[in-house]
Amino acid sequence: MNNNLDLLILGAGRHAGVVLDAVSMAHQSWRVALLDPNHESLAKDFHGSPVLGGDSLIPELLHQNPGLRFTLGIAAVGSSNVRKRLYDMAFEHGLVPATIVHPSAVISKRAEIDPGAQ
């Protein structure tokens, strides 16, 4: 079975919930899965998307499991230090930074939105 999960969200807490809401409104066709270091205390499902395990699974999911295909990723945790660590780890392993812009966001014509912005 080939599960083409388009977006891997790193984190499954409150910040990830906000990101997931924006994803569901702006990119309704994207399929999403989440990783969280506290996955043991979480439900297997986070607002309709599966929580696959902890962030230590990043190398395995991206390199050793041909049945899963992640192309985009975003670090969605509140702590900037943890977010940076997860971002670096995920994108070292080949994920492309997803850019998430809520459809109701007001953005200046002069603004530049870099990859990975949320």
Side-chain angles (χ1 to χ4, degrees):
M1 180 175 181
N2 184 15
N3 297 312
N4 293 314
L5 299 168
D6 299 312
L7 177 66
L8 183 60
I9 295 178
L10 307 173
R14 289 180 293 192
H15 187 77
V18 172
V19 170
L20 191 55
D21 283 344
V23 168
S24 69
M25 295 181 80
H27 305 282
Q28 293 178 2
S29 65
W30 286 6
R31 288 173 289 182
V32 177
L34 299 96
L35 295 179
D36 192 280
N38 299 316
H39 65 94
E40 292 92 1
S41 64
L42 299 171
K44 298 279 187 220
D45 179 89
F46 186 77
H47 301 289
S49 296
V51 178
L52 302 177
D55 55 343
S56 62
L57 287 177
I58 290 170
E60 177 184 337
L61 290 173
L62 299 179
H63 299 297
Q64 299 169 9
N65 192 336
L68 295 172
R69 185 179 144 263
F70 296 97
T71 54
L72 298 171
I74 194 149
V77 294
S79 165
S80 59
N81 292 334
V82 174
R83 188 168 52 244
K84 171 82 167 106
R85 180 183 62 78
L86 291 173
Y87 181 94
D88 290 345
M89 181 192 312
F91 304 111
E92 263 174 30
H93 290 283
L95 277 179
V96 174
T99 302
I100 309 298
V101 179
H102 193 282
S104 69
V106 177
I107 302 168
S108 169
K109 292 178 185 177
R110 295 179 298 280
E112 293 181 25
I113 301 174
D114 290 332
Q118 14 180 318

